[in-house]
Amino acid sequence: MKYSYWSTLILPILLTTAPLVHPAPLDSSSDVPTWNYQNVWLKDSRSAMAVASTSRYAIFAGGEDNVGEPTTLVDVYDHQTNTWSASNVSQARRSMVGATLANRYVLFAGGMVSGTSAYSDVVDIYDTQTGQWLNPPARLSLPRANIQALSLGDRVVFVSGSADASAATGNSPMVASTTVDMVDAKLQWTSSVMKAGSSSSAIPYFSFGPATGSMLSSPDSAADPASQSSVKGVLVGGNYFENPNEVRPVQKVDQRTRLITTTSLKSNEGLTDKSSDSLFINGPNLSTAVLEAVGLLAGRYFFYAGGRTAPSSPGSSPSGSTFSANVEVLDVGLAKSTKSSAHWLAKDQGGKLQLSEARSQIATASLASNKFVLFGGGLINDQSGLVTKTIDVYNTHTQKWVTSESNYMGFHIPRTGASVATVGDCMVIFAGGRIMGNRNVTGAVDMFDIC
Ligand SMILES: *[C@@H]1O[C@H](CO)[C@@H](O)[C@H](O)[C@H]1NC(C)=O
Ligand SMILES: *[C@@H]1O[C@H](CO)[C@@H](O)[C@H](O)[C@H]1NC(C)=O
Ligand SMILES: *[C@@H]1O[C@H](CO)[C@@H](O)[C@H](O)[C@H]1NC(C)=O
């Protein structure tokens, strides 16, 4: 089914605002991409969609409407034909996670089945080769939502996420699930429960909402010191509750950085009692951790971007917290494939970059073999619910921000929490999100390509 409401705009039409002031150097050289722009609309306005893409398709699944009600709706973009079609997952859910397996299967796992609670264990699997959903869907070993999915070579690893307190793992109410589910290209599942190592502190094994990134294989792997591992997964920060069983536990930020490599994946195989050291290699702590930061792994660099400070008093909402413009750049290539943690701060990339606007809930993507890294939209003020249309673009080759007056790109509808996919390594699609604080979903889709 084709969308009938196509419209095509030329980018300069977006030049409606004053030029942005960037604290980092701007690249006005010739090494600036030309973005072709299309604007379409989702079938239904929504936010909290799960997203996954192959080299041909970008798929946006489920999500929630203005009052948090979940949906089954799926919007599928076919890059080859430049058309959209609609589909449904088997169960209406919000806060699912999407992942791509073997550039063929697209998985949508877990989530919540109503506006308030009830976790799902459903994993809807779409086979892009046949255009069919697998029936029946697969199941996670434990129902949960807001999971992180790492696509690593020929498998996907599902970690973290919130689960029902009464579930068999004995997780207390404010602790992220310790269950790990793994699926390989033959759609064989294995699951385990991670156990904290003996040296562990009060920090739970996983935090809620860590910034994650993963990479099947790095196009620049020849020049990459970490190339002995063709796959990488990074898990950084997040938040947890100190004394989770108290009525008003203190919300804390997690400063840890951790890495999965081919070696650690292998060493984890067949272990029944998974310890903290078997799957993840501990890295250095972040210099400043925040809530709601997002992550992106582009080649050997992991970008930990934006976010907000944790509330100072127990049980208080993050409302009124300070937003961050920082992007901490970690050089995963410096990590040794042993348990020892190297210093990961990427000095050659500036170590710390500054976004043009402090914000949280940013949509991040990379394209052109990780040459360009994009930071789109976000929440800039939580009392007024103000959101932004800004997309900051960083060139990892020149190590400069490429946004400039003559090459401005932004959302046509300012918003936060957009879902983002890269397709064909040259087109980035930002879809849906919220136009005010935590409400007011939109169906806006912005498509930029340098193909
Ligand atoms: C998806 O589900 C909706 C609501 O149940 C239905 O109206 C629509 O026809 C379905 N779409 C497809 C492509 O099956
Ligand atoms: C990282 O920070 C945690 C506290 O958040 C601390 O317990 C741990 O020792 C730190 N690790 C390193 C390597 O500094
Ligand atoms: C936001 O949503 C609320 C509740 O649905 C509605 O009353 C309000 O008009 C919406 N605001 C905008 C700007 O769309």
Side-chain angles (χ1 to χ4, degrees):
M1 190 192 333
K2 268 194 189 178
Y3 275 54
S4 53
Y5 32 73
W6 279 105
S7 68
T8 305
L9 294 178
I10 302 301
L11 191 61
I13 292 172
L14 291 174
L15 275 171
T16 51
T17 50
L20 296 164
V21 179
H22 273 259
L26 288 182
D27 186 358
S28 48
S29 72
S30 55
D31 198 17
V32 168
T34 301
W35 303 99
N36 294 302
Y37 178 73
Q38 292 179 68
N39 142 239
V40 298
W41 298 87
L42 294 170
K43 284 244 107 184
D44 258 15
S45 295
R46 58 202 201 271
S47 71
M49 283 179 291
V51 56
S53 57
T54 63
S55 46
R56 177 169 173 182
Y57 298 97
I59 304 183
F60 300 88
E64 66 187 54
D65 65 11
N66 262 345
V67 292
E69 277 305 315
T71 173
T72 59
L73 276 183
V74 178
D75 289 85
V76 181
Y77 174 70
D78 181 343
H79 187 49
Q80 213 164 77
T81 58
N82 194 29
T83 54
W84 289 79
S85 59
S87 188
N88 288 293
V89 283
S90 65
Q91 179 191 42
R93 277 129 62 221
R94 62 188 173 93
S95 306
M96 295 186 279
V97 66
T100 307
L101 182 58
N103 197 34
R104 171 175 179 178
Y105 300 108
V106 167
L107 286 67
F108 297 104
M112 302 186 92
V113 299
S114 76
T116 49
S117 60
Y119 293 98
S120 171
D121 62 357
V122 170
V123 185
D124 284 299
I125 304 178
Y126 182 73
D127 183 348
T128 59
Q129 249 169 46
T130 63
Q132 301 288 318
W133 294 96
L134 303 192
N135 190 19
R139 301 271 170 181
L140 294 169
S141 62
L142 181 80
R144 54 203 198 277
N146 291 308
I147 304 167
Q148 306 293 323
L150 301 167
S151 288
L152 301 166
D154 62 351
R155 51 189 114 182
V156 176
V157 182
F158 296 96
V159 299
S160 181
S162 45
D164 194 320
S166 63
T169 57
N171 285 321
S172 55
M174 298 292 206
V175 176
S177 169
T178 49
T179 299
V180 174
D181 288 299
M182 219 183 277
V183 59
D184 68 19
K186 292 180 182 141
L187 300 176
Q188 300 293 312
W189 290 78
T190 52
S191 69
S192 57
V193 176
M194 301 303 290
K195 294 188 175 11
S198 53
S199 60
S200 82
S201 60
I203 309 174
Y205 190 74
F206 292 122
S207 297
F208 295 107
T212 57
S214 57
M215 184 139 294
L216 308 181
S217 67
S218 143
D220 54 0
S221 59
D224 187 343
S227 62
Q228 63 272 54
S229 58
S230 57
V231 303
K232 299 169 224 166
V234 185
L235 193 75
V236 173
N239 66 293
Y240 65 98
F241 293 89
E242 201 173 59
N243 308 317
N245 295 310
E246 283 176 11
V247 182
R248 284 157 60 84
V250 183
Q251 191 175 17
K252 308 271 276 186
V253 291
D254 187 350
Q255 288 183 280
R256 291 173 301 178
T257 67
R258 287 181 289 173
L259 183 72
I260 302 184
T261 65
T262 315
T263 316
S264 71
L265 261 176
K266 274 218 179 74
S267 71
N268 194 249
E269 268 167 13
L271 292 184
T272 47
D273 181 23
K274 315 277 178 174
S275 76
S276 60
D277 298 331
S278 61
L279 186 57
F280 289 98
I281 297 164
N282 293 324
N285 282 346
L286 292 166
S287 55
T288 329
V290 286
L291 305 174
E292 292 176 12
V294 293
L296 180 86
L297 184 62
R300 55 186 280 187
Y301 298 107
F302 182 78
F303 296 83
Y304 173 84
R308 63 206 295 175
T309 54
S312 48
S313 54
S316 65
S317 85
S319 182
S321 61
T322 311
F323 288 80
S324 167
N326 288 337
V327 182
E328 189 154 355
V329 189
L330 302 171
D331 187 345
V332 171
L334 292 178
K336 305 278 184 294
S337 30
T338 66
K339 284 168 199 159
S340 73
S341 58
H343 190 59
W344 288 4
L345 194 61
K347 290 209 167 58
D348 60 332
Q349 293 281 325
K352 225 175 229 177
L353 309 170
Q354 289 275 297
L355 298 167
S356 64
E357 236 175 336
R359 58 204 201 265
S360 71
Q361 305 173 353
I362 300 167
T364 60
S366 71
L367 75 175
S369 301
N370 298 312
K371 182 175 180 185
F372 299 110
V373 177
L374 280 60
F375 303 91
L379 183 65
I380 56 177
N381 181 312
D382 51 1
Q383 261 133 22
S384 61
L386 208 59
V387 297
T388 182
K389 67 176 193 172
T390 299
I391 304 174
D392 289 307
V393 182
Y394 183 72
N395 182 330
T396 61
H397 293 191
T398 64
Q399 299 171 28
K400 287 177 177 157
W401 295 101
V402 300
T403 313
S404 68
E405 210 179 334
S406 62
N407 198 263
Y408 179 72
M409 62 189 290
F411 294 161
H412 81 287
I413 306 271
R415 58 200 193 273
T416 184
S419 298
V420 59
T422 303
V423 57
D425 199 36
C426 63
M427 174 184 272
V428 60
I429 305 172
F430 295 96
R434 300 182 304 277
I435 59 172
M436 271 184 66
N438 288 319
R439 291 169 297 144
N440 304 88
V441 295
T442 177
V445 179
D446 295 292
M447 305 167 70
F448 300 90
D449 84 67
I450 54 171
C451 300

